[in-house]
Amino acid sequence: MSGFEHYERELRDLDSEIHRYAAVCRVNLANRHEIDACLRNHHDSWADDKARESLQGLLILRIKVETDMIAAGRSVPPLVSALTEQNL
């Protein structure tokens, strides 16, 4: 076990933070191109860049949790559900 013993709670907490930082960065998580552009483009102000870097770190951490879940034979819920996508 990689240290993530409570996958559902870890993902819920991560997803909450990811959605928060995506809103700060004005990124639609249902649009892969927006995510890529946000992570690729640096901003002039430090605060905007810090939010982008935080979003990037959270997305990387989510991938790590997903990888561990799959290795443990568990299914991974999507970051953006169909219901959430309709509200974006």
Side-chain angles (χ1 to χ4, degrees):
M1 178 96 31
S2 69
F4 298 109
E5 298 172 2
H6 304 284
Y7 292 115
E8 290 78 14
R9 185 179 67 214
E10 292 290 335
L11 279 183
R12 184 179 60 244
D13 293 346
L14 274 172
D15 289 354
S16 175
E17 288 297 303
I18 289 170
H19 284 275
R20 187 173 73 110
Y21 279 102
V24 169
C25 295
R26 294 187 175 113
V27 172
N28 177 351
L29 292 171
N31 185 329
R32 175 61 190 246
H33 298 293
E34 285 188 36
I35 296 170
D36 290 342
C38 175
L39 299 178
R40 185 177 53 253
N41 300 330
H42 291 273
H43 303 285
D44 293 332
S45 74
W46 185 86
D48 288 341
D49 206 44
K50 185 70 173 167
R52 180 194 60 80
E53 288 178 4
S54 295
L55 179 58
Q56 181 179 24
L58 290 165
L59 289 168
I60 290 168
L61 186 54
R62 190 179 203 282
I63 291 168
K64 172 68 175 148
V65 173
E66 289 175 354
T67 301
D68 289 350
M69 288 179 74
I70 292 167
R74 300 184 74 160
S75 63
V76 178
L79 173 62
V80 179
S81 68
L83 181 60
T84 303
E85 213 171 313
Q86 290 173 359
N87 293 326
L88 295 175

